[in-house]
Amino acid sequence: MKEYNYILFDLDGTLTESAEGITNSVKYALEKYGISGVTTEELLKFIGPPLQDSFIEFYHFSEEDAIKAVAFYREYFSEKGIFENRVYDGIPELLGKLKQKGKKLFVATSKPEKFTNRILEHFDLTKYFDFVAGATMDNIRTKKADIIAYILEHIPSEDFDKVIMIGDRHHDIEGAIANQIDSIGVLYGYGTKEELTKAGSTYIASSIEELENLIILRNE
C-alpha cells in the first residue's frame, strides 16, 4: 500500500455511530406525513446518502415534499438527534496518531457543515482536522463526489495521488472514484462488504484496528 498524506473521513458510520439520532429524526419527519410504525432497522438506509434523495427514493416523495421532510428532520435533529450519537472506540487515538505522523485530515460528509461542526466540537474531534467539508443547508452541495471535489480544491493537484477517502457506504467509494482518488471501505459502519466491493473500494477494513494497520503500520 502506498503512502497517503491527505486522508478524508466520512462522518456517520466512520467516525461516529449515529444511527439512533438519524433514524429518530427520520421517524419524526415521516410522522408529519402520517407514516408511522417504521422500524429503526428499516431506516438505516438513510445513513450515508443525501436526505432529500432518500425521501424520494425510499418513500416516493415529490421533490417539494422531500424538501419539506428534510426541514422536519432538521427540527428534531438540531435539538435532540445531533447528540444521540457516539464516537467509535479507537477513533480519537487513530486520529491522534495520524496527526503525529504529519498527515492532513479532512471530514467529507453529506451532513450539513453546520451540524457537522457542532458534532465535532461536542466530541472534541475538531482539533484533529485541517478542514471540514459538508453539505450546504440549501442543498446545492450534497453529493459525496461534489464534497470531495470541494476538498480537493484545497489540496495541490500534484498531490492527488496521495489522497484517500475513508467511508462506510457506496456513496463514499463512488465519490472517490468520480474524483480519481483511492478509497478504504470500512465494515464497522452501515455498509456491507458486498456493497463496498461492488462500488469499487480500493481497500477494505473490517475494523478500526485494521484501518490503522492499513494507513499507518503498513507505511512505517
Side-chain angles (χ1 to χ4, degrees):
M1 182 177 181
K2 65 183 181 183
E3 183 173 3
Y4 296 96
N5 294 328
Y6 304 87
I7 304 174
L8 284 54
F9 285 89
D10 177 43
L11 180 61
D12 299 316
T14 302
L15 296 175
T16 68
E17 201 288 274
S18 52
E20 181 183 0
I22 292 173
T23 56
N24 283 344
S25 301
V26 175
K27 287 178 185 178
Y28 176 87
L30 291 176
E31 286 170 359
K32 297 291 185 179
Y33 290 86
I35 302 170
S36 59
V38 184
T39 68
T40 296
E41 190 70 24
E42 290 178 78
L43 297 180
L44 292 179
K45 57 194 174 186
F46 273 81
I47 303 174
L51 281 171
Q52 186 174 322
D53 293 352
S54 294
F55 282 113
I56 292 171
E57 179 180 356
F58 303 135
Y59 286 92
H60 309 295
F61 280 20
S62 66
E63 184 174 351
E64 181 181 359
D65 280 340
I67 291 171
K68 291 178 181 177
V70 170
F72 288 133
Y73 172 100
R74 289 173 177 168
E75 280 184 11
Y76 182 94
F77 188 82
S78 63
E79 297 296 326
K80 297 180 181 179
I82 191 169
F83 300 126
E84 293 174 333
N85 194 0
R86 73 173 186 86
V87 179
Y88 284 113
D89 294 340
I91 283 295
E93 292 79 6
L94 173 60
L95 297 176
K97 290 176 182 178
L98 289 170
K99 291 304 291 182
Q100 288 175 359
K101 296 288 184 182
K103 308 300 183 182
K104 298 289 186 181
L105 306 185
F106 303 79
V107 174
T109 176
S110 293
K111 188 181 296 298
E113 286 182 8
K114 173 182 176 180
F115 296 142
T116 300
N117 284 314
R118 283 181 64 192
I119 291 166
L120 295 175
E121 289 167 7
H122 178 75
F123 291 116
D124 196 30
L125 297 179
T126 304
K127 61 189 177 186
Y128 298 112
F129 293 99
D130 296 273
F131 188 74
V132 175
T136 54
M137 293 295 282
D138 58 10
N139 294 321
I140 291 176
R141 185 177 69 239
T142 60
K143 306 290 187 184
K144 188 56 66 82
D146 295 336
I147 290 161
I148 292 173
Y150 177 52
I151 290 176
L152 292 178
E153 293 175 7
H154 299 79
I155 296 174
S157 58
E158 62 269 22
D159 287 346
F160 284 1
D161 65 334
K162 299 177 182 177
V163 181
I164 194 164
M165 174 73 209
I166 300 171
D168 68 310
R169 297 301 310 276
H170 67 88
H171 313 85
D172 302 305
I173 309 308
E174 291 162 355
I177 291 172
N179 285 280
Q180 300 181 341
I181 64 171
D182 290 344
S183 60
I184 301 176
V186 297
L187 300 181
Y188 58 82
Y190 304 110
T192 65
K193 185 173 183 178
E194 180 183 9
E195 173 185 340
L196 295 169
T197 301
K198 184 177 179 181
S201 183
T202 313
Y203 309 98
I204 297 286
S206 61
S207 64
I208 291 171
E209 292 75 18
E210 191 170 331
L211 177 60
E212 178 177 336
N213 183 57
L214 274 174
I215 55 178
I216 296 181
L217 298 182
R218 288 193 184 182
N219 291 305
E220 290 185 338

PDB file of all heavy atoms in Angstrom, residues 151-188:
ATOM      1  N   ILE A 151     -13.097  19.583  -1.352  1.00  0.00           N
ATOM      2  CA  ILE A 151     -11.884  19.409  -0.552  1.00  0.00           C
ATOM      3  C   ILE A 151     -10.643  19.456  -1.431  1.00  0.00           C
ATOM      4  O   ILE A 151      -9.628  20.075  -1.076  1.00  0.00           O
ATOM      5  CB  ILE A 151     -11.932  18.077   0.220  1.00  0.00           C
ATOM      6  CG1 ILE A 151     -12.983  18.157   1.335  1.00  0.00           C
ATOM      7  CG2 ILE A 151     -10.559  17.732   0.820  1.00  0.00           C
ATOM      8  CD1 ILE A 151     -13.182  16.863   2.094  1.00  0.00           C
ATOM      9  N   LEU A 152     -10.712  18.829  -2.587  1.00  0.00           N
ATOM     10  CA  LEU A 152      -9.551  18.778  -3.478  1.00  0.00           C
ATOM     11  C   LEU A 152      -9.131  20.162  -3.964  1.00  0.00           C
ATOM     12  O   LEU A 152      -7.967  20.352  -4.351  1.00  0.00           O
ATOM     13  CB  LEU A 152      -9.836  17.870  -4.671  1.00  0.00           C
ATOM     14  CG  LEU A 152      -9.979  16.377  -4.336  1.00  0.00           C
ATOM     15  CD1 LEU A 152     -10.305  15.573  -5.594  1.00  0.00           C
ATOM     16  CD2 LEU A 152      -8.726  15.835  -3.669  1.00  0.00           C
ATOM     17  N   GLU A 153     -10.040  21.121  -3.916  1.00  0.00           N
ATOM     18  CA  GLU A 153      -9.677  22.500  -4.257  1.00  0.00           C
ATOM     19  C   GLU A 153      -8.645  23.057  -3.281  1.00  0.00           C
ATOM     20  O   GLU A 153      -7.947  24.027  -3.582  1.00  0.00           O
ATOM     21  CB  GLU A 153     -10.916  23.398  -4.242  1.00  0.00           C
ATOM     22  CG  GLU A 153     -11.929  23.092  -5.335  1.00  0.00           C
ATOM     23  CD  GLU A 153     -13.190  23.923  -5.200  1.00  0.00           C
ATOM     24  OE1 GLU A 153     -13.212  24.840  -4.334  1.00  0.00           O
ATOM     25  OE2 GLU A 153     -14.150  23.668  -5.953  1.00  0.00           O
ATOM     26  N   HIS A 154      -8.537  22.430  -2.090  1.00  0.00           N
ATOM     27  CA  HIS A 154      -7.624  22.888  -1.051  1.00  0.00           C
ATOM     28  C   HIS A 154      -6.365  22.020  -0.953  1.00  0.00           C
ATOM     29  O   HIS A 154      -5.603  22.128   0.009  1.00  0.00           O
ATOM     30  CB  HIS A 154      -8.346  22.910   0.302  1.00  0.00           C
ATOM     31  CG  HIS A 154      -9.526  23.838   0.335  1.00  0.00           C
ATOM     32  ND1 HIS A 154     -10.760  23.503  -0.208  1.00  0.00           N
ATOM     33  CD2 HIS A 154      -9.667  25.097   0.815  1.00  0.00           C
ATOM     34  CE1 HIS A 154     -11.598  24.519  -0.040  1.00  0.00           C
ATOM     35  NE2 HIS A 154     -10.970  25.490   0.579  1.00  0.00           N
ATOM     36  N   ILE A 155      -6.166  21.156  -1.937  1.00  0.00           N
ATOM     37  CA  ILE A 155      -5.001  20.276  -1.973  1.00  0.00           C
ATOM     38  C   ILE A 155      -4.290  20.472  -3.307  1.00  0.00           C
ATOM     39  O   ILE A 155      -4.952  20.520  -4.357  1.00  0.00           O
ATOM     40  CB  ILE A 155      -5.434  18.793  -1.825  1.00  0.00           C
ATOM     41  CG1 ILE A 155      -6.080  18.573  -0.445  1.00  0.00           C
ATOM     42  CG2 ILE A 155      -4.245  17.846  -2.014  1.00  0.00           C
ATOM     43  CD1 ILE A 155      -6.672  17.185  -0.257  1.00  0.00           C
ATOM     44  N   PRO A 156      -2.965  20.583  -3.320  1.00  0.00           N
ATOM     45  CA  PRO A 156      -2.243  20.754  -4.587  1.00  0.00           C
ATOM     46  C   PRO A 156      -2.540  19.596  -5.548  1.00  0.00           C
ATOM     47  O   PRO A 156      -2.518  18.434  -5.150  1.00  0.00           O
ATOM     48  CB  PRO A 156      -0.768  20.750  -4.153  1.00  0.00           C
ATOM     49  CG  PRO A 156      -0.792  21.170  -2.714  1.00  0.00           C
ATOM     50  CD  PRO A 156      -2.052  20.602  -2.149  1.00  0.00           C
ATOM     51  N   SER A 157      -2.809  19.910  -6.795  1.00  0.00           N
ATOM     52  CA  SER A 157      -3.201  18.883  -7.761  1.00  0.00           C
ATOM     53  C   SER A 157      -2.122  17.826  -7.953  1.00  0.00           C
ATOM     54  O   SER A 157      -2.440  16.657  -8.228  1.00  0.00           O
ATOM     55  CB  SER A 157      -3.544  19.518  -9.106  1.00  0.00           C
ATOM     56  OG  SER A 157      -2.434  20.261  -9.607  1.00  0.00           O
ATOM     57  N   GLU A 158      -0.863  18.204  -7.775  1.00  0.00           N
ATOM     58  CA  GLU A 158       0.210  17.225  -7.937  1.00  0.00           C
ATOM     59  C   GLU A 158       0.233  16.195  -6.807  1.00  0.00           C
ATOM     60  O   GLU A 158       0.936  15.175  -6.892  1.00  0.00           O
ATOM     61  CB  GLU A 158       1.574  17.919  -8.025  1.00  0.00           C
ATOM     62  CG  GLU A 158       1.980  18.712  -6.810  1.00  0.00           C
ATOM     63  CD  GLU A 158       1.557  20.183  -6.856  1.00  0.00           C
ATOM     64  OE1 GLU A 158       0.605  20.488  -7.623  1.00  0.00           O
ATOM     65  OE2 GLU A 158       2.181  20.999  -6.159  1.00  0.00           O
ATOM     66  N   ASP A 159      -0.559  16.440  -5.744  1.00  0.00           N
ATOM     67  CA  ASP A 159      -0.619  15.514  -4.608  1.00  0.00           C
ATOM     68  C   ASP A 159      -1.870  14.648  -4.602  1.00  0.00           C
ATOM     69  O   ASP A 159      -2.116  13.906  -3.648  1.00  0.00           O
ATOM     70  CB  ASP A 159      -0.554  16.294  -3.280  1.00  0.00           C
ATOM     71  CG  ASP A 159       0.831  16.833  -2.995  1.00  0.00           C
ATOM     72  OD1 ASP A 159       1.796  16.401  -3.654  1.00  0.00           O
ATOM     73  OD2 ASP A 159       0.954  17.687  -2.095  1.00  0.00           O
ATOM     74  N   PHE A 160      -2.677  14.707  -5.656  1.00  0.00           N
ATOM     75  CA  PHE A 160      -3.944  13.967  -5.658  1.00  0.00           C
ATOM     76  C   PHE A 160      -3.734  12.462  -5.522  1.00  0.00           C
ATOM     77  O   PHE A 160      -4.606  11.750  -5.039  1.00  0.00           O
ATOM     78  CB  PHE A 160      -4.746  14.265  -6.924  1.00  0.00           C
ATOM     79  CG  PHE A 160      -5.436  15.613  -6.917  1.00  0.00           C
ATOM     80  CD1 PHE A 160      -5.300  16.495  -5.836  1.00  0.00           C
ATOM     81  CD2 PHE A 160      -6.226  16.009  -7.992  1.00  0.00           C
ATOM     82  CE1 PHE A 160      -5.921  17.744  -5.839  1.00  0.00           C
ATOM     83  CE2 PHE A 160      -6.862  17.243  -7.989  1.00  0.00           C
ATOM     84  CZ  PHE A 160      -6.710  18.113  -6.919  1.00  0.00           C
ATOM     85  N   ASP A 161      -2.563  11.967  -5.963  1.00  0.00           N
ATOM     86  CA  ASP A 161      -2.309  10.526  -5.833  1.00  0.00           C
ATOM     87  C   ASP A 161      -1.984  10.127  -4.402  1.00  0.00           C
ATOM     88  O   ASP A 161      -1.856   8.940  -4.094  1.00  0.00           O
ATOM     89  CB  ASP A 161      -1.178  10.091  -6.771  1.00  0.00           C
ATOM     90  CG  ASP A 161       0.157  10.715  -6.408  1.00  0.00           C
ATOM     91  OD1 ASP A 161       0.175  11.815  -5.799  1.00  0.00           O
ATOM     92  OD2 ASP A 161       1.195  10.105  -6.723  1.00  0.00           O
ATOM     93  N   LYS A 162      -1.905  11.124  -3.504  1.00  0.00           N
ATOM     94  CA  LYS A 162      -1.623  10.878  -2.089  1.00  0.00           C
ATOM     95  C   LYS A 162      -2.864  11.119  -1.223  1.00  0.00           C
ATOM     96  O   LYS A 162      -2.772  11.241  -0.002  1.00  0.00           O
ATOM     97  CB  LYS A 162      -0.475  11.764  -1.610  1.00  0.00           C
ATOM     98  CG  LYS A 162       0.839  11.505  -2.358  1.00  0.00           C
ATOM     99  CD  LYS A 162       1.925  12.460  -1.906  1.00  0.00           C
ATOM    100  CE  LYS A 162       3.216  12.217  -2.693  1.00  0.00           C
ATOM    101  NZ  LYS A 162       4.273  13.197  -2.317  1.00  0.00           N
ATOM    102  N   VAL A 163      -4.026  11.184  -1.874  1.00  0.00           N
ATOM    103  CA  VAL A 163      -5.299  11.437  -1.188  1.00  0.00           C
ATOM    104  C   VAL A 163      -6.100  10.140  -1.133  1.00  0.00           C
ATOM    105  O   VAL A 163      -6.162   9.393  -2.116  1.00  0.00           O
ATOM    106  CB  VAL A 163      -6.121  12.516  -1.927  1.00  0.00           C
ATOM    107  CG1 VAL A 163      -7.430  12.780  -1.183  1.00  0.00           C
ATOM    108  CG2 VAL A 163      -5.314  13.801  -2.080  1.00  0.00           C
ATOM    109  N   ILE A 164      -6.736   9.875   0.011  1.00  0.00           N
ATOM    110  CA  ILE A 164      -7.591   8.692   0.138  1.00  0.00           C
ATOM    111  C   ILE A 164      -8.853   9.036   0.918  1.00  0.00           C
ATOM    112  O   ILE A 164      -8.817   9.847   1.849  1.00  0.00           O
ATOM    113  CB  ILE A 164      -6.830   7.519   0.798  1.00  0.00           C
ATOM    114  CG1 ILE A 164      -7.597   6.196   0.605  1.00  0.00           C
ATOM    115  CG2 ILE A 164      -6.522   7.801   2.268  1.00  0.00           C
ATOM    116  CD1 ILE A 164      -6.765   4.956   0.858  1.00  0.00           C
ATOM    117  N   MET A 165      -9.961   8.454   0.496  1.00  0.00           N
ATOM    118  CA  MET A 165     -11.257   8.655   1.139  1.00  0.00           C
ATOM    119  C   MET A 165     -11.612   7.422   1.950  1.00  0.00           C
ATOM    120  O   MET A 165     -11.509   6.292   1.458  1.00  0.00           O
ATOM    121  CB  MET A 165     -12.340   8.892   0.065  1.00  0.00           C
ATOM    122  CG  MET A 165     -13.767   8.972   0.588  1.00  0.00           C
ATOM    123  SD  MET A 165     -14.091  10.501   1.477  1.00  0.00           S
ATOM    124  CE  MET A 165     -15.365   9.969   2.635  1.00  0.00           C
ATOM    125  N   ILE A 166     -12.058   7.626   3.198  1.00  0.00           N
ATOM    126  CA  ILE A 166     -12.456   6.525   4.074  1.00  0.00           C
ATOM    127  C   ILE A 166     -13.945   6.671   4.399  1.00  0.00           C
ATOM    128  O   ILE A 166     -14.373   7.723   4.892  1.00  0.00           O
ATOM    129  CB  ILE A 166     -11.636   6.526   5.373  1.00  0.00           C
ATOM    130  CG1 ILE A 166     -10.144   6.372   5.055  1.00  0.00           C
ATOM    131  CG2 ILE A 166     -12.102   5.409   6.310  1.00  0.00           C
ATOM    132  CD1 ILE A 166      -9.238   6.571   6.253  1.00  0.00           C
ATOM    133  N   GLY A 167     -14.714   5.632   4.117  1.00  0.00           N
ATOM    134  CA  GLY A 167     -16.149   5.701   4.403  1.00  0.00           C
ATOM    135  C   GLY A 167     -16.780   4.330   4.459  1.00  0.00           C
ATOM    136  O   GLY A 167     -16.149   3.323   4.115  1.00  0.00           O
ATOM    137  N   ASP A 168     -18.043   4.294   4.876  1.00  0.00           N
ATOM    138  CA  ASP A 168     -18.719   3.014   5.101  1.00  0.00           C
ATOM    139  C   ASP A 168     -19.815   2.689   4.095  1.00  0.00           C
ATOM    140  O   ASP A 168     -20.408   1.614   4.170  1.00  0.00           O
ATOM    141  CB  ASP A 168     -19.326   2.993   6.512  1.00  0.00           C
ATOM    142  CG  ASP A 168     -20.469   3.981   6.658  1.00  0.00           C
ATOM    143  OD1 ASP A 168     -20.287   5.158   6.295  1.00  0.00           O
ATOM    144  OD2 ASP A 168     -21.548   3.584   7.125  1.00  0.00           O
ATOM    145  N   ARG A 169     -20.114   3.597   3.162  1.00  0.00           N
ATOM    146  CA  ARG A 169     -21.192   3.353   2.198  1.00  0.00           C
ATOM    147  C   ARG A 169     -20.684   3.519   0.771  1.00  0.00           C
ATOM    148  O   ARG A 169     -19.645   4.143   0.528  1.00  0.00           O
ATOM    149  CB  ARG A 169     -22.360   4.321   2.435  1.00  0.00           C
ATOM    150  CG  ARG A 169     -23.055   4.174   3.801  1.00  0.00           C
ATOM    151  CD  ARG A 169     -23.639   2.797   4.042  1.00  0.00           C
ATOM    152  NE  ARG A 169     -24.470   2.340   2.942  1.00  0.00           N
ATOM    153  CZ  ARG A 169     -25.761   2.664   2.791  1.00  0.00           C
ATOM    154  NH1 ARG A 169     -26.369   3.443   3.667  1.00  0.00           N
ATOM    155  NH2 ARG A 169     -26.455   2.196   1.769  1.00  0.00           N
ATOM    156  N   HIS A 170     -21.458   3.005  -0.173  1.00  0.00           N
ATOM    157  CA  HIS A 170     -21.023   3.055  -1.572  1.00  0.00           C
ATOM    158  C   HIS A 170     -20.892   4.483  -2.086  1.00  0.00           C
ATOM    159  O   HIS A 170     -20.093   4.756  -2.994  1.00  0.00           O
ATOM    160  CB  HIS A 170     -21.974   2.239  -2.453  1.00  0.00           C
ATOM    161  CG  HIS A 170     -23.364   2.788  -2.568  1.00  0.00           C
ATOM    162  ND1 HIS A 170     -23.719   3.704  -3.525  1.00  0.00           N
ATOM    163  CD2 HIS A 170     -24.485   2.541  -1.843  1.00  0.00           C
ATOM    164  CE1 HIS A 170     -25.000   3.991  -3.415  1.00  0.00           C
ATOM    165  NE2 HIS A 170     -25.496   3.305  -2.391  1.00  0.00           N
ATOM    166  N   HIS A 171     -21.643   5.414  -1.496  1.00  0.00           N
ATOM    167  CA  HIS A 171     -21.543   6.811  -1.923  1.00  0.00           C
ATOM    168  C   HIS A 171     -20.127   7.356  -1.703  1.00  0.00           C
ATOM    169  O   HIS A 171     -19.632   8.150  -2.506  1.00  0.00           O
ATOM    170  CB  HIS A 171     -22.544   7.677  -1.149  1.00  0.00           C
ATOM    171  CG  HIS A 171     -23.915   7.095  -1.097  1.00  0.00           C
ATOM    172  ND1 HIS A 171     -24.290   6.164  -0.141  1.00  0.00           N
ATOM    173  CD2 HIS A 171     -24.990   7.272  -1.882  1.00  0.00           C
ATOM    174  CE1 HIS A 171     -25.540   5.825  -0.336  1.00  0.00           C
ATOM    175  NE2 HIS A 171     -25.995   6.467  -1.385  1.00  0.00           N
ATOM    176  N   ASP A 172     -19.492   6.925  -0.609  1.00  0.00           N
ATOM    177  CA  ASP A 172     -18.128   7.373  -0.319  1.00  0.00           C
ATOM    178  C   ASP A 172     -17.154   6.855  -1.377  1.00  0.00           C
ATOM    179  O   ASP A 172     -16.283   7.586  -1.852  1.00  0.00           O
ATOM    180  CB  ASP A 172     -17.695   6.865   1.065  1.00  0.00           C
ATOM    181  CG  ASP A 172     -18.618   7.339   2.166  1.00  0.00           C
ATOM    182  OD1 ASP A 172     -18.823   8.556   2.286  1.00  0.00           O
ATOM    183  OD2 ASP A 172     -19.153   6.493   2.911  1.00  0.00           O
ATOM    184  N   ILE A 173     -17.322   5.594  -1.729  1.00  0.00           N
ATOM    185  CA  ILE A 173     -16.429   4.967  -2.706  1.00  0.00           C
ATOM    186  C   ILE A 173     -16.660   5.551  -4.092  1.00  0.00           C
ATOM    187  O   ILE A 173     -15.706   5.893  -4.814  1.00  0.00           O
ATOM    188  CB  ILE A 173     -16.652   3.443  -2.727  1.00  0.00           C
ATOM    189  CG1 ILE A 173     -16.582   2.854  -1.300  1.00  0.00           C
ATOM    190  CG2 ILE A 173     -15.656   2.785  -3.657  1.00  0.00           C
ATOM    191  CD1 ILE A 173     -15.352   3.226  -0.514  1.00  0.00           C
ATOM    192  N   GLU A 174     -17.909   5.690  -4.466  1.00  0.00           N
ATOM    193  CA  GLU A 174     -18.238   6.238  -5.784  1.00  0.00           C
ATOM    194  C   GLU A 174     -17.796   7.697  -5.893  1.00  0.00           C
ATOM    195  O   GLU A 174     -17.343   8.144  -6.963  1.00  0.00           O
ATOM    196  CB  GLU A 174     -19.734   6.121  -6.032  1.00  0.00           C
ATOM    197  CG  GLU A 174     -20.189   4.672  -6.205  1.00  0.00           C
ATOM    198  CD  GLU A 174     -21.679   4.464  -6.028  1.00  0.00           C
ATOM    199  OE1 GLU A 174     -22.385   5.426  -5.664  1.00  0.00           O
ATOM    200  OE2 GLU A 174     -22.136   3.324  -6.236  1.00  0.00           O
ATOM    201  N   GLY A 175     -17.901   8.438  -4.783  1.00  0.00           N
ATOM    202  CA  GLY A 175     -17.430   9.826  -4.785  1.00  0.00           C
ATOM    203  C   GLY A 175     -15.927   9.908  -4.985  1.00  0.00           C
ATOM    204  O   GLY A 175     -15.416  10.791  -5.680  1.00  0.00           O
ATOM    205  N   ALA A 176     -15.205   8.965  -4.369  1.00  0.00           N
ATOM    206  CA  ALA A 176     -13.749   8.911  -4.540  1.00  0.00           C
ATOM    207  C   ALA A 176     -13.392   8.578  -5.988  1.00  0.00           C
ATOM    208  O   ALA A 176     -12.523   9.230  -6.594  1.00  0.00           O
ATOM    209  CB  ALA A 176     -13.151   7.877  -3.592  1.00  0.00           C
ATOM    210  N   ILE A 177     -14.064   7.584  -6.546  1.00  0.00           N
ATOM    211  CA  ILE A 177     -13.793   7.188  -7.930  1.00  0.00           C
ATOM    212  C   ILE A 177     -14.084   8.329  -8.889  1.00  0.00           C
ATOM    213  O   ILE A 177     -13.321   8.577  -9.840  1.00  0.00           O
ATOM    214  CB  ILE A 177     -14.627   5.939  -8.289  1.00  0.00           C
ATOM    215  CG1 ILE A 177     -14.102   4.723  -7.522  1.00  0.00           C
ATOM    216  CG2 ILE A 177     -14.594   5.676  -9.792  1.00  0.00           C
ATOM    217  CD1 ILE A 177     -14.959   3.486  -7.644  1.00  0.00           C
ATOM    218  N   ALA A 178     -15.172   9.058  -8.646  1.00  0.00           N
ATOM    219  CA  ALA A 178     -15.525  10.187  -9.512  1.00  0.00           C
ATOM    220  C   ALA A 178     -14.435  11.252  -9.520  1.00  0.00           C
ATOM    221  O   ALA A 178     -14.269  11.985 -10.513  1.00  0.00           O
ATOM    222  CB  ALA A 178     -16.849  10.800  -9.053  1.00  0.00           C
ATOM    223  N   ASN A 179     -13.681  11.318  -8.424  1.00  0.00           N
ATOM    224  CA  ASN A 179     -12.600  12.302  -8.312  1.00  0.00           C
ATOM    225  C   ASN A 179     -11.216  11.675  -8.512  1.00  0.00           C
ATOM    226  O   ASN A 179     -10.202  12.331  -8.269  1.00  0.00           O
ATOM    227  CB  ASN A 179     -12.673  12.991  -6.948  1.00  0.00           C
ATOM    228  CG  ASN A 179     -13.800  14.001  -6.876  1.00  0.00           C
ATOM    229  OD1 ASN A 179     -13.668  15.116  -7.364  1.00  0.00           O
ATOM    230  ND2 ASN A 179     -14.916  13.609  -6.272  1.00  0.00           N
ATOM    231  N   GLN A 180     -11.216  10.414  -8.919  1.00  0.00           N
ATOM    232  CA  GLN A 180      -9.976   9.702  -9.264  1.00  0.00           C
ATOM    233  C   GLN A 180      -8.999   9.620  -8.087  1.00  0.00           C
ATOM    234  O   GLN A 180      -7.793   9.824  -8.251  1.00  0.00           O
ATOM    235  CB  GLN A 180      -9.315  10.345 -10.495  1.00  0.00           C
ATOM    236  CG  GLN A 180     -10.203  10.322 -11.727  1.00  0.00           C
ATOM    237  CD  GLN A 180      -9.541  10.930 -12.951  1.00  0.00           C
ATOM    238  OE1 GLN A 180      -8.580  11.670 -12.857  1.00  0.00           O
ATOM    239  NE2 GLN A 180     -10.081  10.620 -14.119  1.00  0.00           N
ATOM    240  N   ILE A 181      -9.550   9.349  -6.901  1.00  0.00           N
ATOM    241  CA  ILE A 181      -8.695   9.110  -5.742  1.00  0.00           C
ATOM    242  C   ILE A 181      -9.011   7.729  -5.169  1.00  0.00           C
ATOM    243  O   ILE A 181     -10.055   7.154  -5.457  1.00  0.00           O
ATOM    244  CB  ILE A 181      -8.865  10.194  -4.644  1.00  0.00           C
ATOM    245  CG1 ILE A 181     -10.287  10.170  -4.059  1.00  0.00           C
ATOM    246  CG2 ILE A 181      -8.513  11.577  -5.180  1.00  0.00           C
ATOM    247  CD1 ILE A 181     -10.452  11.052  -2.827  1.00  0.00           C
ATOM    248  N   ASP A 182      -8.105   7.189  -4.364  1.00  0.00           N
ATOM    249  CA  ASP A 182      -8.280   5.874  -3.762  1.00  0.00           C
ATOM    250  C   ASP A 182      -9.246   5.933  -2.580  1.00  0.00           C
ATOM    251  O   ASP A 182      -9.593   7.025  -2.097  1.00  0.00           O
ATOM    252  CB  ASP A 182      -6.934   5.322  -3.310  1.00  0.00           C
ATOM    253  CG  ASP A 182      -6.032   4.935  -4.478  1.00  0.00           C
ATOM    254  OD1 ASP A 182      -6.548   4.812  -5.613  1.00  0.00           O
ATOM    255  OD2 ASP A 182      -4.822   4.765  -4.259  1.00  0.00           O
ATOM    256  N   SER A 183      -9.648   4.763  -2.114  1.00  0.00           N
ATOM    257  CA  SER A 183     -10.623   4.723  -1.021  1.00  0.00           C
ATOM    258  C   SER A 183     -10.427   3.492  -0.150  1.00  0.00           C
ATOM    259  O   SER A 183      -9.861   2.486  -0.580  1.00  0.00           O
ATOM    260  CB  SER A 183     -12.051   4.711  -1.588  1.00  0.00           C
ATOM    261  OG  SER A 183     -12.246   3.576  -2.418  1.00  0.00           O
ATOM    262  N   ILE A 184     -10.915   3.610   1.084  1.00  0.00           N
ATOM    263  CA  ILE A 184     -10.999   2.471   2.001  1.00  0.00           C
ATOM    264  C   ILE A 184     -12.445   2.361   2.458  1.00  0.00           C
ATOM    265  O   ILE A 184     -13.009   3.311   3.014  1.00  0.00           O
ATOM    266  CB  ILE A 184     -10.094   2.643   3.241  1.00  0.00           C
ATOM    267  CG1 ILE A 184      -8.625   2.800   2.838  1.00  0.00           C
ATOM    268  CG2 ILE A 184     -10.262   1.446   4.184  1.00  0.00           C
ATOM    269  CD1 ILE A 184      -7.698   3.079   4.020  1.00  0.00           C
ATOM    270  N   GLY A 185     -13.042   1.212   2.232  1.00  0.00           N
ATOM    271  CA  GLY A 185     -14.382   0.960   2.735  1.00  0.00           C
ATOM    272  C   GLY A 185     -14.285   0.285   4.091  1.00  0.00           C
ATOM    273  O   GLY A 185     -13.566  -0.704   4.239  1.00  0.00           O
ATOM    274  N   VAL A 186     -14.980   0.821   5.099  1.00  0.00           N
ATOM    275  CA  VAL A 186     -14.918   0.250   6.449  1.00  0.00           C
ATOM    276  C   VAL A 186     -16.203  -0.524   6.748  1.00  0.00           C
ATOM    277  O   VAL A 186     -17.304  -0.073   6.433  1.00  0.00           O
ATOM    278  CB  VAL A 186     -14.657   1.326   7.526  1.00  0.00           C
ATOM    279  CG1 VAL A 186     -13.293   1.977   7.295  1.00  0.00           C
ATOM    280  CG2 VAL A 186     -15.747   2.393   7.546  1.00  0.00           C
ATOM    281  N   LEU A 187     -16.029  -1.693   7.363  1.00  0.00           N
ATOM    282  CA  LEU A 187     -17.157  -2.585   7.601  1.00  0.00           C
ATOM    283  C   LEU A 187     -17.767  -2.459   8.989  1.00  0.00           C
ATOM    284  O   LEU A 187     -18.750  -3.135   9.286  1.00  0.00           O
ATOM    285  CB  LEU A 187     -16.724  -4.042   7.372  1.00  0.00           C
ATOM    286  CG  LEU A 187     -16.218  -4.375   5.971  1.00  0.00           C
ATOM    287  CD1 LEU A 187     -15.851  -5.854   5.882  1.00  0.00           C
ATOM    288  CD2 LEU A 187     -17.244  -4.015   4.912  1.00  0.00           C
ATOM    289  N   TYR A 188     -17.215  -1.603   9.843  1.00  0.00           N
ATOM    290  CA  TYR A 188     -17.787  -1.444  11.180  1.00  0.00           C
ATOM    291  C   TYR A 188     -18.934  -0.437  11.188  1.00  0.00           C
ATOM    292  O   TYR A 188     -19.574  -0.230  12.213  1.00  0.00           O
ATOM    293  CB  TYR A 188     -16.704  -1.027  12.193  1.00  0.00           C
ATOM    294  CG  TYR A 188     -15.980   0.256  11.851  1.00  0.00           C
ATOM    295  CD1 TYR A 188     -16.522   1.503  12.156  1.00  0.00           C
ATOM    296  CD2 TYR A 188     -14.735   0.234  11.227  1.00  0.00           C
ATOM    297  CE1 TYR A 188     -15.864   2.679  11.843  1.00  0.00           C
ATOM    298  CE2 TYR A 188     -14.061   1.399  10.923  1.00  0.00           C
ATOM    299  CZ  TYR A 188     -14.628   2.626  11.226  1.00  0.00           C
ATOM    300  OH  TYR A 188     -13.967   3.787  10.910  1.00  0.00           O
TER     301      TYR A 188
END
